[in-house]
Amino acid sequence: QVQLVESGGGLVQPGGSLRLSCAAASSIFSLYVMAWYRQVPGEQRDLVAVISTDGSTNYADSVKGRFTISRDNAKNTVHLQMNSLKPEDTAVYFCNARWFSTHFWGQGTQVTVSS
């Protein structure tokens, strides 16, 4: 079991930036595949970005070139740097840790992009 706590969400104007952070309470953080998902009310939770244990990354097409996922294994944290934000990026963003087929989730942080 691992506890995940997200922070960094908020209200930002279109074109602005936000940096989400996720702190994990686990002694084996470096062994987890970490990811960010987002969800709009009434819709499914979608994968935004993933970073593997070796540091390789993948992104949803909708955020490529704008978002960057990174991890700091020494601090048990994963970040999502979001630039050039668009209104359609508005959602609740969830941190996810995967250990083989087991998923752990944070409580989510709201990101609202609006003028």
Side-chain angles (χ1 to χ4, degrees):
Q1 189 75 3
V2 57
Q3 184 177 11
L4 303 172
V5 179
E6 300 103 332
S7 60
L11 173 64
V12 64
Q13 293 187 341
S17 298
L18 280 175
R19 186 181 191 228
L20 304 183
S21 297
C22 173
S26 173
S27 60
I28 57 170
F29 175 80
S30 64
L31 301 182
Y32 294 117
V33 175
M34 300 300 299
W36 288 94
Y37 287 72
R38 65 187 181 188
Q39 187 171 26
V40 175
E43 298 185 11
Q44 68 179 17
R45 191 171 295 186
D46 293 325
L47 178 66
V48 175
V50 59
I51 184 164
S52 298
T53 55
D54 64 359
S56 59
T57 59
N58 276 292
Y59 299 90
D61 287 342
S62 59
V63 306
K64 282 181 180 177
R66 300 188 298 123
F67 291 11
T68 302
I69 189 171
S70 61
R71 65 190 300 161
D72 185 339
N73 290 336
K75 296 182 179 180
N76 286 8
T77 57
V78 62
H79 303 286
L80 185 67
Q81 177 67 43
M82 305 185 295
N83 299 327
S84 302
L85 283 161
K86 305 175 181 180
E88 50 264 42
D89 294 318
T90 296
V92 177
Y93 284 70
F94 295 89
C95 180
N96 172 272
R98 181 170 64 81
W99 171 253
F100 293 99
S101 61
T102 301
H103 290 259
F104 303 99
W105 295 94
Q107 81 287 352
T109 184
Q110 176 70 45
V111 171
T112 302
V113 184
S114 175
S115 55

